[in-house]
Amino acid sequence: GDAETIRTFCSTTYGVDFPLLSKQEVNGPGRSALYRHLVGEGDDIQWNFEKFVLDPDGSVRARFAPSVEPKDARILRALGEALEG
């Protein structure tokens, strides 16, 4: 869908109230610059809720599958380590 359709779906379905990026290619030859940076030489994005932890300089510190819950101890630990430098 277009940006407004996606925004409405995320808001009503998941209660999202933060700014969203525009729709972009995450796999294949049209992969956006953001996802080229996030994925690097890694595997393709599996699904929308794949998670990346970045340090303050924007370097990718960790990557988590869509099935990993946001409050999972591994994500929280990676966030702490990324902030410590």
Side-chain angles (χ1 to χ4, degrees), residues 1-68:
D2 64 15
E4 182 59 25
T5 301
I6 294 168
R7 187 196 65 73
T8 300
F9 173 79
C10 291
S11 175
T12 58
T13 305
Y14 299 108
V16 169
D17 62 357
F18 49 81
L20 300 173
L21 294 173
S22 61
K23 184 176 178 179
Q24 52 192 294
E25 293 291 322
V26 299
N27 291 322
R31 179 179 277 159
S32 71
L34 170 62
Y35 281 91
R36 284 195 308 271
H37 173 73
L38 292 173
V39 171
E41 298 298 319
D43 294 334
D44 281 351
I45 299 294
Q46 295 176 26
W47 194 59
N48 293 358
F49 297 106
E50 195 137 344
K51 298 153 197 75
F52 295 86
V53 174
L54 308 178
D55 66 19
D57 294 326
S59 297
V60 177
R61 298 293 299 258
R63 180 178 177 176
F64 298 94
S67 59
V68 177

